[in-house]
């Protein structure tokens, strides 16, 4: 069981340290640290400051790190007051504070550059590649070798399109859809990154270190240099590009009746956007005329998507609400924040990629060769019961079985669709589930209600995809046997472990980046009034989410006067006169921002106060 360690019981331990602890006699769950076995954090991001006596300190951005870091004069590295810096800690025991030296100055605090780089570094990511990696990327960024084309299945005469966001530059998937007999043939073409990025080479080492691309509102941190991600591997319009193609024959019920995976070459006919494809589906005559050569295929793709989506819903796959924000930034100023638009055109690509991932995973499972699966385990019983209790407070019935199935969750989502509490219940539902991860053992995907699943479709921006492309290419070449199987398994296990860890770090970095830019957007909104919904309840206040996805905090002193009691089981904070519950609608006033913790501050808007 967990032990609570009060500050007096830390004895020099910090967040992330591995420690020996002993229970404190006479308490139920209190402990104290008796020794630090291993220091967890040796590098921190923070703000450099010096006092009047000239003593230098770095105040960590990580609130869970309790101590400022003392910086001797020789270790300041030219840092000035209010600089965002990286500090390496080398001494924890000499004095009251840990001691460190500044290794990098990121920029000025309270500037977009300094604050954004601080977020990136805090989660272990870097915006630059080594000179050697950049050189290697430029070396391979050249037209496709005709000798290589001759070895591959040639799909350049197929009508092929990419569909992505308007601001996308790295196109790693393209599609071809044909109506054939009593069904369809779907080609999902994926950039053959593994052809260019050699195992254990400079670019591969850099890619594994990152394991994923990271998307912040003002920048992208690609897994591979732009000469690769936006160049030779990007499936650009009217250019020959090397791909791995998953070709699926699908009947009218959405069942895959035949499939094959081949090394191929394609030439995309059009680089299309979700907006334009949706307008075509909605009957935009000008766009239909502009894309007349692929209009029938787009309609066919829509028809197939609807069949696949219905099949997925029928098997109980969970459809969560997308909470992704869209930022409009110009000249360093955040002009707007709004929920990211989601169209049926997005669903076309989503359904096709899901099917390709499932098809490849099932095919590779039966080969019994090493592989990297995307696994999502069923939620644990305790979390399920907690979620049921939460849902019951909204008067919804959530059925709990000994063996849970995703369909129970989807049934609840259908019940709450369009209600005020839909967003909140969806968020709590997601938190109640296990985190998906990468493993070399197949255990199915609970959320998608699938027995087999992997990530095959994004090798430009995800390392697991690149790893399994290598496995597939070796298999197709007949090179997976004997000692090579053992080597491949070890590489798959390493890729799975690192990718699962870095995926979490990337999600945290992206969330912190979103929070930062939402805070900047609200910085000049003090005094403005908004409608919101209570998205979190704690003993020290409530969180409120606005329609534009911005979340802010109302502290206890900003609630109407009263003695408040927090009921953790019912998710309520109440006084004798006022009750604040998760999911309640509420009108708030913006009080300002707390820049150092990237938080927007609200207070309860009272109509009476305004009339006075």
């Amino acid at each position: 069981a967990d032990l609570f360690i009060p500050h007096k019981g830390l004895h020099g331990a910090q967040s992330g340290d591995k420690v020996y602890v002993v229970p404190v006699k006479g308490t139920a769950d209190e402990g104290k640290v008796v020794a630090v076995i291993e220091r967890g954090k040796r590098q921190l991001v923070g703000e450099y400051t010096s006092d009047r006596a000239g003593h230098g300190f770095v105040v960590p951005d990580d609130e869970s790190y309790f101590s400022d870091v003392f910086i001797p004069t020789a270790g300041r590295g030219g840092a000035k007051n209010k600089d965002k810096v990286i500090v390496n800690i080398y001494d924890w025991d000499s004095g009251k504070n840990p001691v460190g030296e500044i290794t990098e100055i990121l920029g000025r605090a309270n500037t977009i550059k300094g604050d954004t780089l601080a977020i990136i570094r805090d989660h272990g990511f870097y915006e630059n590649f080594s000179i050697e990696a950049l050189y290697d990327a430029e070396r391979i960024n050249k037209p496709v070798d005709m000798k290589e084309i001759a070895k591959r299945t040639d799909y350049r005469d197929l009508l092929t399109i990419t569909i992505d966001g308007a601001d996308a530059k790295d196109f790693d998937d393209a599609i071809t859809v044909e109506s054939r007999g009593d069904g369809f043939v779907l080609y999902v073409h994926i950039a053959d990154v593994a052809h260019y990025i050699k195992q254990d080479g400079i670019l591969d080492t850099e890619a594994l270190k990152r394991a994923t691309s990271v998307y912040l509102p003002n920048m992208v941190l690609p897994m591979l240099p732009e000469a690769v991600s936006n160049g030779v591997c990007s499936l650009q319009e009217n250019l020959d590009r090397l791909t791995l193609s998953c070709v699926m024959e699908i009947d009218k019920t959405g069942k895959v009746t035949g499939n094959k995976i081949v090394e191929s070459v394609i030439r995309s006919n059009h680089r299309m956007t979700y907006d334009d494809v949706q307008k075509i589906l909605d009957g935009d005559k000008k766009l239909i005329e502009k894309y007349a050569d692929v209009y029938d295929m787009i309609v066919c793709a829509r028809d197939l998507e609807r069949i696949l989506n219905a099949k997925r819903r029928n098997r109980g796959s969970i459809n969560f609400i997308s909470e992704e924000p869209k930022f409009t930034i110009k000249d360093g100023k955040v002009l707007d924040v709004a929920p990211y638009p989601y169209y049926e055109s997005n669903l076309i690509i989503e359904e096709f990629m899901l099917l390709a991932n499932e098809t490849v995973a099932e095919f590779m499972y039966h080969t019994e060769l090493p592989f990297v699966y995307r696994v999502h385990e069923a939620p644990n019983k305790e979390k399920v019961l907690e979620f049921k209790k939460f849902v019951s407070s909204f008067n919804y019935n959530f059925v709990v079985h000994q063996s849970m199935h995703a369909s129970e969750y989807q049934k609840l989502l259908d019940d709450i669709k369009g209600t005020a509490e839909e967003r909140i219940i969806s968020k709590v539902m997601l938190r109640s589930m296990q985190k998906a991860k990468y493993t070399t053992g197949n255990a199915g995907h609970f959320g998608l209600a699938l027995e087999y699943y992997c990530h095959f479709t994004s090798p430009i921006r995800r390392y697991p995809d690149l790893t399994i492309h290598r496995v597939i290419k070796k298999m197709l070449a007949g090179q997976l046997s004997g000692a090579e199987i053992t080597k491949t398994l070890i590489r798959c296990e390493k890729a799975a472990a690192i990718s699962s860890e870095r995926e979490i770090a990337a999600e945290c970095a992206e969330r912190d980046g979103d929070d930062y830019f939402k805070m900047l957007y609200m910085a000049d909104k003090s005094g403005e009034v908004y409608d919101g919904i209570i998205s979190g309840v704690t003993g020290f206040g409530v969180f409120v989410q606005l329609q534009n996805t911005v979340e802010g905090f109302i502290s206890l002193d900003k609630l109407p006067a009263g003695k408040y009691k927090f009921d953790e089981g019912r998710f309520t904070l109440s006084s004798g006169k006022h009750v604040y519950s998760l999911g309640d609608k509420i009108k708030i006033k913006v009080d300002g921002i707390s820049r150092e913790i990237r938080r927007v501050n609200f207070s309860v808007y009272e109509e009476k106060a305004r009339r006075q």
Side-chain angles (χ1 to χ4, degrees):
D2 292 342
L3 286 175
F4 168 69
I5 314 293
H7 197 273
K8 66 181 181 180
L10 287 171
H11 299 150
Q14 297 284 353
S15 176
D17 290 350
K18 185 181 288 187
V19 296
Y20 279 119
V21 298
V22 296
V24 175
K25 290 181 179 179
T27 66
D29 62 352
E30 187 176 319
K32 63 180 179 181
V33 175
V34 294
V36 176
I37 303 169
E38 183 182 340
R39 293 291 178 177
K41 293 188 177 180
R42 298 177 180 272
Q43 186 179 87
L44 292 170
V45 178
E47 183 176 326
Y48 178 75
T49 183
S50 57
D51 58 23
R52 291 182 179 179
H55 300 123
F57 294 89
V58 171
V59 181
D61 285 357
D62 185 350
E63 286 185 290
S64 68
Y65 204 87
F66 307 114
S67 300
D68 297 345
V69 181
F70 176 68
I71 310 295
T73 303
R76 296 181 187 178
K80 299 175 183 177
N81 221 22
K82 300 288 185 183
D83 275 348
K84 281 284 186 184
V85 299
I86 303 289
V87 58
N88 275 353
I89 303 171
Y90 58 81
D91 183 357
W92 285 266
D93 305 315
S94 295
K96 184 179 177 181
N97 297 76
V99 183
E101 62 178 351
I102 291 170
T103 59
E104 185 179 4
I105 299 170
L106 302 176
R108 299 295 288 167
N110 298 330
T111 64
I112 289 180
K113 178 187 176 185
D115 292 345
T116 303
L117 288 180
I119 290 170
I120 293 167
R121 292 291 194 282
D122 196 33
H123 296 289
F125 290 100
Y126 296 84
E127 73 281 12
N128 296 319
F129 289 88
S130 67
I131 293 173
E132 294 82 3
L134 292 173
Y135 174 80
D136 212 28
E138 289 295 342
R139 182 183 58 81
I140 63 177
N141 187 21
K142 56 187 179 182
V144 177
D145 186 351
M146 295 304 294
K147 291 181 181 178
E148 180 61 33
I149 289 177
K151 300 175 186 176
R152 294 175 172 247
T153 303
D154 194 337
Y155 289 138
R156 287 178 293 176
D157 290 336
L158 281 179
L159 275 179
T160 303
I161 59 174
T162 61
I163 309 177
D164 294 273
D167 54 354
K169 295 177 181 177
D170 53 341
F171 313 124
D172 48 15
D173 57 83
I175 61 168
T176 302
V177 189
E178 297 174 346
S179 178
R180 190 178 298 177
D182 58 351
F184 306 86
V185 179
L186 170 63
Y187 301 75
V188 173
H189 311 286
I190 306 299
D192 188 358
V193 181
H195 175 79
Y196 296 99
I197 309 301
K198 301 307 178 187
Q199 184 89 53
D200 300 325
I202 293 170
L203 288 172
D204 185 54
T205 300
E206 294 259 358
L208 180 57
K209 183 169 69 175
R210 291 163 171 80
T212 181
S213 296
V214 182
Y215 297 86
L216 299 182
N218 66 328
M219 67 168 66
V220 176
L221 307 178
M223 185 179 79
L224 294 162
E226 288 189 5
V228 177
S229 60
N230 297 357
V232 67
C233 288
S234 185
L235 308 183
Q236 297 170 3
E237 189 177 55
N238 295 322
L239 291 176
D240 292 347
R241 285 291 184 256
L242 303 182
T243 49
L244 281 185
S245 295
C246 179
V247 185
M248 294 159 280
E249 297 173 13
I250 306 166
D251 67 19
K252 290 291 186 180
T253 70
K255 180 181 178 181
V256 176
T257 57
N259 68 83
K260 63 180 178 179
I261 307 169
V262 296
E263 292 182 301
S264 53
V265 58
I266 68 162
R267 184 183 297 155
S268 173
N269 297 82
H270 297 290
R271 177 268 195 270
M272 306 194 72
T273 66
Y274 292 119
D275 286 351
D276 281 351
V277 172
Q278 189 59 47
K279 288 175 182 175
I280 288 170
L281 293 173
D282 291 340
D284 187 303
K285 292 182 179 179
K286 287 186 178 179
L287 285 173
I288 290 173
E289 183 177 344
K290 179 180 178 180
Y291 295 107
D293 58 332
V294 291
Y295 172 72
D296 288 341
M297 187 174 79
I298 290 172
V299 173
C300 184
R302 190 266 317 276
D303 294 342
L304 176 56
E305 168 265 310
R306 289 180 175 178
I307 291 170
L308 295 175
N309 185 256
K311 183 186 177 188
R312 184 159 65 88
R313 291 180 66 85
N314 288 338
R315 73 168 183 258
S317 175
I318 304 171
N319 287 313
F320 286 106
I321 300 172
S322 176
E323 288 276 284
E324 190 177 350
K326 181 180 181 181
F327 293 86
T328 304
I329 301 174
K330 186 176 181 181
D331 300 327
K333 186 174 176 60
V334 185
L335 303 180
D336 190 35
V337 182
Y340 207 92
Y342 195 79
Y343 308 114
E344 187 170 20
S345 54
N346 295 78
L347 262 181
I348 289 173
I349 296 303
E350 180 179 323
E351 293 295 345
F352 291 178
M353 298 306 116
L354 287 172
L355 187 64
N357 287 336
E358 179 193 2
T359 301
V360 170
E362 182 174 5
F363 176 84
M364 291 304 298
Y365 176 79
H366 291 297
T367 68
E368 299 184 351
L369 293 170
F371 201 62
V372 178
Y373 296 93
R374 180 65 169 176
V375 167
H376 185 221
E377 295 174 318
N380 66 56
K381 193 65 174 289
E382 184 180 329
K383 289 285 184 73
V384 172
L385 293 174
E386 284 180 9
F387 180 65
K388 177 179 175 64
K389 186 177 180 181
F390 166 70
V391 169
S392 297
S393 67
F394 292 92
N395 296 317
Y396 289 105
N397 182 36
F398 179 67
V399 180
V400 175
H401 301 283
Q402 188 65 33
S403 179
M404 292 298 295
H405 190 271
S407 58
E408 292 297 339
Y409 289 89
Q410 184 54 49
K411 182 178 182 299
L412 176 61
L413 289 177
D414 290 338
D415 291 342
I416 65 175
K417 191 171 181 62
T419 64
E421 59 268 17
E422 179 182 16
R423 183 180 290 177
I424 300 302
I425 292 178
S426 294
K427 182 185 289 187
V428 176
M429 180 188 291
L430 190 58
R431 289 174 181 169
S432 75
M433 292 187 169
Q434 304 266 38
K435 179 79 179 68
K437 60 185 178 182
Y438 299 104
T439 75
T440 54
N442 178 51
H445 197 293
F446 178 82
L448 292 172
L450 287 174
E451 188 175 354
Y452 313 96
Y453 195 65
C454 71
H455 276 168
F456 162 79
T457 53
S458 297
I460 288 177
R461 61 184 179 88
R462 289 189 307 228
Y463 197 85
D465 307 50
L466 175 57
T467 298
I468 66 177
H469 275 222
R470 287 180 173 139
V471 173
I472 291 168
K473 286 167 69 68
K474 283 182 181 179
M475 178 198 68
L476 293 175
Q479 297 172 352
L480 267 182
S481 60
E484 189 60 34
I485 290 180
T486 303
K487 288 181 184 177
T488 301
L489 177 60
I490 292 170
R491 285 169 171 161
C492 286
E493 288 173 340
K494 182 179 179 180
I498 294 174
S499 298
S500 293
E501 177 190 323
R502 298 312 295 155
E503 178 187 38
I504 294 171
E507 289 172 354
C508 291
E510 290 171 351
R511 184 187 62 231
D512 287 350
D514 287 351
D515 288 347
Y516 175 72
F517 281 91
K518 288 176 183 179
M519 179 203 68
L520 291 184
Y521 175 69
M522 299 300 288
D524 61 356
K525 305 291 190 295
S526 290
E528 293 191 12
V529 177
Y530 294 86
D531 290 318
I533 187 167
I534 295 178
S535 55
V537 181
T538 71
F540 46 90
V542 299
F543 291 90
V544 177
Q545 187 168 5
L546 310 183
Q547 283 297 114
N548 61 8
T549 76
V550 170
E551 188 174 60
F553 183 67
I554 307 175
S555 58
L556 279 177
D557 62 323
K558 296 293 184 179
L559 295 172
K563 188 174 182 179
Y564 285 88
K565 182 180 180 181
F566 174 49
D567 187 330
E568 187 176 4
R570 298 178 63 189
F571 306 93
T572 60
L573 187 63
S574 58
S575 65
K577 191 176 180 181
H578 300 278
V579 179
Y580 297 96
S581 301
L582 202 63
D584 283 353
K585 292 181 180 179
I586 188 172
K587 193 178 286 287
I588 61 91
K589 178 170 72 71
V590 180
D591 285 349
I593 62 172
S594 296
R595 192 162 187 142
E596 65 281 1
I597 55 175
R598 309 184 195 106
R599 194 170 75 190
V600 183
N601 300 313
F602 296 156
S603 60
V604 177
Y605 179 71
E606 298 180 85
E607 296 286 350
K608 291 180 182 177
R610 184 182 181 191
R611 286 197 292 270
Q612 289 173 356

